[in-house]
Amino acid sequence: MDERREPTMRDVAALARVSTKTVSRVINGLPGAGPEVVERVRAAARSLGYRPNLTASSLRRSDKRSATIGVLFEDLSNPFDSALLRAVEDRARQNGVLVLAGSSEDEPLLQRELLESLATRRVDGMVVMAVGGHQDALQQERERGTPMVLVDRPPTFGGTDSVTTTNRDSSREAVLQLADFGHRDIAFLGDRRTLWTSQERYTGYLEGLAHAGLKLREDLVRTDLKGPDAAERATAELLDRDPRPTALFTAQNLVTVGAMRVLRARDLHHRVALIGFDDFPLADMLQPGVTVVRQDVPALGRKAAELVFARIEGDTSPPVHAVVPASLVRRGSGEIRPH
Amino acid sequence: MDERREPTMRDVAALARVSTKTVSRVINGLPGAGPEVVERVRAAARSLGYRPNLTASSLRRSDKRSATIGVLFEDLSNPFDSALLRAVEDRARQNGVLVLAGSSEDEPLLQRELLESLATRRVDGMVVMAVGGHQDALQQERERGTPMVLVDRPPTFGGTDSVTTTNRDSSREAVLQLADFGHRDIAFLGDRRTLWTSQERYTGYLEGLAHAGLKLREDLVRTDLKGPDAAERATAELLDRDPRPTALFTAQNLVTVGAMRVLRARDLHHRVALIGFDDFPLADMLQPGVTVVRQDVPALGRKAAELVFARIEGDTSPPVHAVVPASLVRRGSGEIRPH
DNA sequence: TCCTCCTACGTCAACGTTGACGTAACCAGC
DNA sequence: GCTGGTTACGTCAACGTTGACGTAGGAGGA
């Protein structure tokens, strides 16, 4: 609109009749400026509406910090991702750090591009929910020395911190509870197999069956369900089998919703037990309430942020793999006994 | 970790035995470099793992673009906000622009600080969901010439683009539908009155009553409900009144959920009609399905992004107030007749 | 008194990049 | 052969800021 130039230190310096260096000192609160000069500079800055240029500053500073971190999640519109983003953001704010956010859509190519964009902007660190498959781009970035923390994924390469939840243990717990309630035919419905979390939850399912002395029925296992539609089809097929599974363990929230939809369509929601991994809003309002494994998303995000910041501050201790416990929330659907 | 310095143009130039200016030309794809030189520079850049420093570049460039926009919403973990963020992000990606995101928590002070942080980083533009109350900070920012678009809020000051949904018209439509189904005592439950959207939706409610020839019963109006707890209390009180409202119009999604919770607790969910403003996941899975006014969130975000980008490109046409139509999604709860 | 130390400034160059401008080499045309 | 234009480079300074270092003046001690 108007052709106004942002005022610079030089403008402030001229108005306050001091050198730019003195303005720099005042703005940064460094010693070496007398009280009157400080006041004069402050007044000049205020009257001009001066605001420091962080990009210029970080270019020159010795530490080169941009006070910005990058966050690369799969899909920011997913409640899990956005809750995580919010947690990271809150923690970042405490350090005066802002967050550059992007969605990788589980596309390696997109992840690579976003990574590049973040690097180009010289972020101080990154919190990444890695896409499935090979993670060369991530590893390269890490090897360049960029502080990086993986969330909801373990590193497939060395030297990197990560934060995950108790995928395997909590899945086992869920399956064991179903077994305790008398179920023998417990089906598994999982997300894309390339996702580490999917694999872990499946392993937990197997462990649960083993602990309960149940035999794995391969025909009750459905994986690679991407999105609610696939989940619905898989659920429908499972319910057509003979003998029909009397309980479902759905290993991802969209899968849970898809399965529920089918159970309700067939009026089986009060007869077939269901435990889902990952909580979702209104799970308690359905009939029956949906029993889920709830992840502590704020804790995940906070921990991830704390780890990056520690690395940014120069912490060089060995890489950490933090595990945040999840818990089983019993609401009814997981406490249905076989008929 | 390692004390590696990021390679610069100078390093590339030295290795390719050309001047930095030539490297600049090659990297930016500008003419004035012979084919062999281009190849030599590219090879050198690749072998050093060179990546341009966007902060230095934008400092020097004449347009001073940072290829970054700021997004300031109320709460990024709210599904509405995160869906909006995602839409803005998608549109931004098309322009090679990244998004700096922050939550203002409806706190004027926090908004001011975040605004400052964004300005300090010299973002090219901002998409802001303004906090309630006076918007001096926003206005000042706007007057400095920062391209800015308000989402889900109209500007309270001149010269600024905004994108909103049909709050008033859709609310009226919802109320009219309730009236058509025979309701005379239609309660209103709204969010904080400082929010423009709340006011608009309330006005729509009044218009609906007026069009239907219904008299406003002040005792059926509850506003300033912040969060689901307040909504629950208000709903409980309303249902205690005599005569009891036979229909509820809840003007915000958390309020809708709170109201539903109480209706269910009193087993009135099949007897009292309910229409909520703003859709939410699983609204269709409840019994009865929840009739809502659905906003076209992706369209809102896309439009907002397009407006900022137009301004960034130098569009100086008069400010636009874009309105994205919302639609009534009938799922059952809004189609209950008075008993 | 002189020397030392400290405080409150200022000067200069550099961070990594690009705009403005210079120049050498080459080609076309007369 | 000379002029004029084009191409492919290079040189230099500047973007806004800060680190390194310099200096004038005053305080303090022997």
Side-chain angles (χ1 to χ4, degrees):
Chain A
M1 211 143 261
D2 338 26
E3 216 40 85
R4 228 165 342 201
R5 201 177 47 86
E6 281 276 325
T8 72
M9 275 198 173
R10 189 155 30 234
D11 303 322
V12 177
L15 185 58
R17 282 160 300 127
V18 294
S19 71
T20 58
K21 180 73 237 210
T22 298
V23 177
S24 170
R25 281 191 264 257
V26 173
I27 297 295
N28 294 78
L30 296 173
E36 309 141 55
V37 171
V38 167
E39 204 31 66
R40 230 166 54 227
V41 171
R42 290 235 176 89
R46 216 173 314 123
S47 86
L48 291 176
Y50 168 76
R51 280 178 311 195
N53 182 331
L54 191 69
T55 61
S57 165
S58 81
L59 182 62
R60 182 67 243 264
R61 286 192 117 90
S62 40
D63 61 9
K64 305 237 174 272
R65 299 274 176 80
S66 59
T68 306
I69 60 171
V71 165
L72 229 52
F73 290 168
E74 190 180 327
D75 174 9
L76 291 175
S77 65
N78 178 316
F80 177 76
D81 295 32
S82 66
L84 205 53
L85 171 64
R86 181 63 210 271
V88 172
E89 189 218 335
D90 280 348
R91 187 60 186 68
R93 180 147 56 224
Q94 293 176 25
N95 290 30
V97 163
L98 243 49
V99 171
L100 264 172
S103 303
S104 68
E105 292 175 23
D106 201 31
E107 298 272 2
L109 213 77
L110 195 44
Q111 172 176 282
R112 169 169 243 123
E113 280 173 21
L114 288 168
L115 225 45
E116 202 80 3
S117 294
L118 293 175
T120 265
R121 285 167 180 78
R122 298 294 190 268
V123 294
D124 300 334
M126 305 183 180
V127 177
V128 181
M129 187 183 294
V131 304
H134 49 127
Q135 311 184 341
D136 311 4
L138 278 180
Q139 182 166 8
Q140 282 168 29
E141 195 57 48
R142 185 66 260 286
E143 281 166 0
R144 284 162 172 271
T146 312
M148 188 184 317
V149 173
L150 298 185
V151 266
D152 208 35
R153 309 276 189 275
T156 58
F157 45 89
T160 304
D161 296 322
S162 61
V163 184
T164 59
T165 193
T166 50
N167 286 288
R168 189 191 297 201
D169 291 355
S170 295
S171 296
R172 183 179 54 217
E173 189 189 347
V175 172
L176 277 175
Q177 143 141 350
L178 290 172
D180 279 352
F181 272 81
H183 296 280
R184 326 251 87 211
D185 295 311
I186 304 172
F188 176 90
L189 293 102
D191 200 354
R192 285 150 293 168
R193 258 177 306 188
T194 52
L195 297 178
W196 176 81
T197 47
S198 286
Q199 297 163 14
E200 282 292 290
R201 293 169 194 176
Y202 180 58
T203 306
Y205 164 76
L206 294 179
E207 288 180 4
L209 292 185
H211 272 71
L214 297 180
K215 215 179 117 222
L216 169 65
R217 272 183 61 190
E218 301 261 14
D219 63 319
L220 296 188
V221 173
R222 295 300 147 100
T223 58
D224 268 327
L225 307 174
K226 182 165 184 172
D229 295 348
E232 288 186 34
R233 277 194 304 277
T235 309
E237 281 169 33
L238 281 173
L239 295 176
D240 286 338
R241 301 206 76 81
D242 188 34
R244 188 166 77 193
T246 61
L248 310 180
F249 176 55
T250 51
Q252 196 254 6
N253 55 9
L254 294 182
V255 175
T256 306
V257 172
M260 265 178 3
R261 233 173 259 278
V262 174
L263 287 178
R264 294 193 32 161
R266 305 201 174 191
D267 200 32
L268 289 172
H269 48 306
H270 290 290
R271 307 189 56 204
V272 173
L274 172 70
I275 299 186
F277 204 108
D278 211 2
D279 202 2
F280 52 91
L282 297 181
D284 58 323
M285 295 280 288
L286 297 167
Q287 292 170 323
V290 182
T291 296
V292 297
V293 173
R294 169 157 45 197
Q295 308 192 56
D296 188 347
V297 185
L300 278 166
R302 205 181 324 121
K303 186 69 193 171
E306 278 164 7
L307 285 173
V308 225
F309 287 129
R311 296 303 178 184
I312 292 174
E313 297 305 331
D315 177 359
T316 55
S317 52
V320 174
H321 181 170
V323 178
V324 176
S327 57
L328 196 61
V329 180
R330 298 179 177 82
R331 295 196 178 112
S333 77
E335 292 71 38
I336 296 173
R337 297 185 176 278
H339 45 279
Chain B
M1 212 142 257
D2 340 25
E3 216 39 85
R4 227 165 343 200
R5 200 177 48 86
E6 282 275 326
T8 72
M9 275 198 174
R10 193 162 17 242
D11 302 322
V12 177
L15 185 58
R17 281 161 300 127
V18 295
S19 71
T20 59
K21 179 72 236 211
T22 297
V23 177
S24 170
R25 281 192 264 256
V26 173
I27 296 296
N28 294 79
L30 296 173
E36 311 140 54
V37 171
V38 167
E39 205 30 65
R40 233 170 47 229
V41 170
R42 291 235 176 89
R46 217 172 314 124
S47 86
L48 290 175
Y50 169 76
R51 280 177 311 192
N53 182 330
L54 190 69
T55 61
S57 165
S58 83
L59 183 61
R60 182 65 245 262
R61 288 191 115 90
S62 41
D63 60 11
K64 305 235 174 274
R65 299 272 177 80
S66 58
T68 306
I69 60 171
V71 164
L72 230 52
F73 290 168
E74 191 180 326
D75 174 9
L76 291 176
S77 65
N78 179 316
F80 177 77
D81 295 32
S82 65
L84 205 53
L85 171 63
R86 181 63 210 273
V88 172
E89 189 217 337
D90 280 348
R91 187 60 186 69
R93 181 145 56 222
Q94 293 175 24
N95 290 31
V97 164
L98 243 50
V99 171
L100 265 170
S103 303
S104 69
E105 291 175 23
D106 201 32
E107 298 272 2
L109 213 77
L110 194 46
Q111 173 177 282
R112 168 168 244 124
E113 280 173 21
L114 288 168
L115 225 45
E116 203 79 3
S117 294
L118 293 176
T120 265
R121 285 167 180 77
R122 298 294 189 268
V123 294
D124 300 334
M126 304 183 181
V127 177
V128 182
M129 186 182 294
V131 305
H134 48 126
Q135 311 185 340
D136 311 4
L138 278 182
Q139 181 165 10
Q140 282 168 28
E141 195 57 49
R142 186 65 259 286
E143 280 167 1
R144 284 162 173 271
T146 312
M148 189 185 317
V149 174
L150 298 184
V151 267
D152 209 35
R153 309 278 188 274
T156 57
F157 45 89
T160 304
D161 296 321
S162 61
V163 184
T164 59
T165 194
T166 49
N167 287 288
R168 190 190 297 200
D169 291 355
S170 295
S171 297
R172 183 179 56 218
E173 188 189 346
V175 172
L176 277 176
Q177 142 142 353
L178 291 171
D180 280 352
F181 272 81
H183 296 279
R184 326 252 85 212
D185 296 310
I186 304 171
F188 176 90
L189 293 103
D191 200 354
R192 285 150 292 168
R193 259 178 306 189
T194 51
L195 298 178
W196 177 81
T197 47
S198 287
Q199 297 163 13
E200 283 292 289
R201 293 170 194 178
Y202 181 60
T203 307
Y205 164 76
L206 295 178
E207 288 180 4
L209 293 184
H211 270 73
L214 298 179
K215 216 179 117 218
L216 169 67
R217 271 182 63 188
E218 302 261 14
D219 62 319
L220 296 188
V221 172
R222 295 299 147 101
T223 59
D224 268 326
L225 307 174
K226 183 165 183 171
D229 295 348
E232 288 188 32
R233 278 194 304 275
T235 308
E237 281 170 32
L238 282 173
L239 296 176
D240 286 337
R241 301 207 76 80
D242 188 33
R244 188 167 75 192
T246 61
L248 310 180
F249 174 57
T250 51
Q252 195 253 9
N253 56 9
L254 294 181
V255 175
T256 306
V257 172
M260 264 179 4
R261 235 173 258 277
V262 175
L263 287 178
R264 296 196 30 163
R266 303 198 175 193
D267 200 32
L268 288 172
H269 48 305
H270 290 290
R271 307 188 59 202
V272 174
L274 171 69
I275 299 186
F277 204 107
D278 211 2
D279 201 1
F280 52 91
L282 299 180
D284 59 323
M285 296 278 290
L286 297 166
Q287 292 171 322
V290 182
T291 295
V292 297
V293 174
R294 168 156 48 194
Q295 307 192 55
D296 188 347
V297 186
L300 278 165
R302 205 180 325 122
K303 187 69 194 171
E306 277 163 8
L307 285 172
V308 225
F309 288 128
R311 296 302 179 185
I312 292 174
E313 297 304 332
D315 177 359
T316 56
S317 52
V320 173
H321 181 171
V323 178
V324 175
S327 57
L328 195 62
V329 180
R330 298 178 177 84
R331 295 197 179 111
S333 77
E335 291 72 37
I336 296 173
R337 297 184 176 277
H339 46 279

